[in-house]
Amino acid sequence: MLKLCGVHLSNYHNKVRIALLEKGVPFEEDATCAPSQNDAVLRRSPLGKVPWLELENGRRLVESQVIAEYLEEVYPEKPLLPREPFERAKVRELITFIEWYAEMVARRLYGQAFFGKGPVSDSTKHAVESELSKGLRALKGMAKFAPFIAGRDLTLADCAAFVHLPLLTLSTKIVYGRDFLEDIPQVKPYMKMLAERPAFAKVNEDRKAAQAALAARARN
């Protein structure tokens, strides 16, 4: 059986977990595998990142999008990518914009926003604001919200959006005092709709529980 390894606090781990649950693929989970540079983790994940997926015969895959694409090929019964090649490419395009031109840009704010590392520099704030403005402007023009982000069907782009976009909201609110996603008013009802799906709700509940446990440990 497949084993997904990572932590419930990881948005990229949760992206893959939602895909597995939505597809109905049986899997085990080890949610104690934190990112690390120790040898034990590096033997399983070359950069020490999560998630990774363990297969039979000691085989493994890393990188959330690689894992998600593998699942689509091996378990096609409930697809999360369209059948038509152009539409499949458009979903991948959305995921790329969400991850590389939004979440990865906002990640430079996470030290201040989530990890208590002190304020980011003014130069970083200006650079992130400029890059995020461009990325979110592009995303606003690309997203359909009809009702899903790529159109009428649930896709891997929704799995990505659900785990990444809340981090943009939280980090920009903390650092800039405003939610940069307010310029895309469809986001709030869209996220609410996704949160009502059982797979998304389960992953969200487990993420909140992991956050609460982390906060409790920090207080002790």
Side-chain angles (χ1 to χ4, degrees):
M1 182 179 289
L2 303 177
K3 180 185 283 188
L4 179 65
C5 301
V7 290
H8 287 161
L9 290 171
S10 164
N11 41 328
Y12 289 92
H13 176 90
N14 289 337
K15 167 188 163 184
V16 175
R17 190 169 175 230
I18 290 172
L20 283 161
L21 292 170
E22 281 287 347
K23 291 175 73 65
V25 176
F27 71 101
E28 298 175 350
E29 184 182 23
D30 184 346
T32 66
C33 299
S36 174
Q37 293 299 298
N38 70 45
D39 289 343
V41 172
L42 291 172
R43 283 194 293 269
R44 303 165 82 185
S45 175
L47 286 174
K49 296 166 57 179
V50 297
W52 67 82
L53 186 71
E54 298 192 350
L55 313 172
E56 70 281 357
N57 301 323
R59 299 181 299 161
R60 297 184 185 89
L61 288 172
V62 297
E63 295 294 332
S64 67
Q65 192 59 28
V66 171
I67 295 169
E69 297 274 354
Y70 170 80
L71 296 173
E72 283 297 294
E73 293 188 17
V74 178
Y75 302 97
E77 295 80 9
K78 190 175 179 182
L80 290 174
L81 285 174
R83 181 172 298 178
E84 200 275 319
F86 177 77
E87 296 303 327
R88 290 171 75 90
K90 293 300 286 184
V91 170
R92 293 180 175 117
E93 182 181 69
L94 268 171
I95 295 169
T96 299
F97 271 75
I98 291 167
E99 295 189 343
W100 287 100
Y101 306 120
E103 197 276 336
M104 292 301 293
V105 176
R107 189 163 282 246
R108 283 179 267 171
L109 308 174
Y110 292 0
Q112 175 182 342
F114 306 133
F115 302 115
K117 292 187 176 180
V120 298
S121 68
D122 287 342
S123 61
T124 296
K125 283 182 67 175
H126 292 318
V128 170
E129 183 172 13
S130 176
E131 291 177 41
L132 266 185
S133 295
K134 293 175 185 176
L136 294 178
R137 181 183 63 208
L139 182 61
K140 183 177 181 179
M142 297 164 64
K144 294 182 177 179
F145 301 112
F148 298 104
I149 199 164
R152 66 181 183 180
D153 296 318
L154 182 78
T155 67
L156 289 174
D158 299 293
C159 302
F162 187 76
V163 299
H164 298 321
L165 296 185
L167 296 174
L168 269 73
T169 288
L170 289 171
S171 61
T172 55
K173 273 186 176 179
I174 291 169
V175 175
Y176 299 96
R178 66 182 181 90
D179 177 5
F180 281 22
L181 286 172
E182 285 181 349
D183 294 334
I184 312 178
Q186 301 97 320
V187 167
K188 283 187 179 180
Y190 162 73
M191 295 293 287
K192 183 176 183 296
M193 175 195 68
L194 290 182
E196 293 170 353
R197 297 179 67 91
F200 287 76
K202 171 62 176 168
V203 170
N204 206 32
E205 289 167 5
D206 289 343
R207 177 191 59 79
K208 290 179 180 179
Q211 285 179 319
L214 181 65
R217 288 196 297 273
R219 290 192 297 267
N220 294 334

